[in-house]
């Protein structure tokens, strides 16, 4: 049977048995948010691909409810991970790379807005399949072709600007359609296209993801389904607190975990994400 298309996922949200009857389970909710938050602080990800199965599985939220809550939690992780990483990657270093951030934002903001609108009109099966394959190819390219230190950028000058805008646009669309922060694609793009080292790429990714997610979040907020956040405010609050604690821990670990460990970890995350995205499609 074919997977449901995006239009089918934007129907009015029904109450879940979980939020209506059981109420939030504080410890599992806090722990789930915390574990995924560590990824955000350590690698520079929103953790959406890992959080979604938890929301749908153990917490029993319906598909659209899970997607919406996932967006809210990813926004919390991205917003807190950047300052918590500042001890290892100072704000001054991130600010010094503002041309790279602006270059990607020039495409990602438009992509996020359009992608959020297209989500109500387009089927997503093909997108998920293509993205799953792309994630694996990027993981292979990172492991085989690059170290953890800065490498020679693929392009320079005007071609790099054009490539950055195009890559940002594509990532913005994907982030909105899938409800993710896009770090799994942004970090490899920053390493391969701009020659950033893995730790700097994680922080630059967060700097691009935050405004991109806010744009997509704003566009999606027009849908009445966003009432699910208010209905599950206790759950959102507990998971948000867990996520903030997790990003703090991950940010501290960033200064301890060696660079040569982070790249294989990111590659593994890309492969696992690929499997999850493929199954989701």
């Amino acid at each position: 049977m074919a997977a449901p298309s995006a239009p089918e996922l934007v129907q009015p949200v029904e109450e879940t048995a979980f939020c209506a009857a059981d109420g939030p389970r504080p410890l599992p909710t806090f722990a789930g948010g915390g574990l995924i938050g560590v990824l955000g602080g350590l690698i520079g990800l929103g953790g959406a691909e890992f959080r979604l199965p938890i929301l749908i599985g153990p917490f029993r939220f319906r598909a659209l409810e899970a997607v919406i809550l996932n967006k809210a939690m990813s926004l919390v992780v991205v917003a807190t991970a950047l300052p918590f990483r500042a001890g290892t990657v100072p704000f001054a270093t991130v600010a010094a790379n503002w041309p790279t951030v602006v270059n990607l934002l020039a495409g990602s903001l438009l992509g996020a807005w359009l992608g959020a609108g297209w989500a109500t009109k387009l089927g997503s099966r093909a997108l998920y399949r293509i993205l799953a394959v792309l994630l694996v190819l990027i993981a292979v390219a990172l492991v085989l072709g690059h170290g953890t230190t800065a490498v020679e950028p693929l392009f320079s000058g005007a071609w790099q600007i054009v490539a950055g805008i195009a890559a940002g646009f594509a990532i913005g669309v994907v982030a909105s359609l899938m409800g993710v922060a896009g770090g799994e694609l942004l970090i490899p793009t920053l390493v391969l296209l701009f020659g950033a080292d893995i730790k700097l790429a994680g922080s630059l990714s967060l700097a691009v993801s935050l405004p991109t997610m806010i744009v997509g979040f704003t566009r999606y907020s027009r849908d009445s389904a966003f009432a699910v956040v208010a209905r599950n405010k206790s759950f959102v609050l507990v998971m948000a607190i867990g996520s903030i604690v997790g990003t703090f821990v991950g940010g501290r670990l960033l200064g301890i975990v060696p660079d040569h460990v982070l790249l294989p970890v990111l590659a593994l995350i890309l492969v696992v994400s690929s499997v999850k995205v493929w199954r989701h499609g």
Side-chain angles (χ1 to χ4, degrees), residues 50-69:
F50 297 90
R51 190 184 300 105
L52 188 60
I54 294 176
L55 292 173
I56 293 175
F59 292 113
R60 307 201 307 274
F61 285 104
R62 299 181 189 275
L64 180 57
E65 289 178 310
V67 167
I68 293 170
L69 294 174

Side-chain angles (χ1 to χ4, degrees), residues 166-189:
F169 178 81
I171 293 170
V173 170
V174 169
S176 276
L177 287 175
M178 298 185 63
V180 301
E184 290 85 351
L185 295 175
L186 278 169
I187 294 175
T189 297

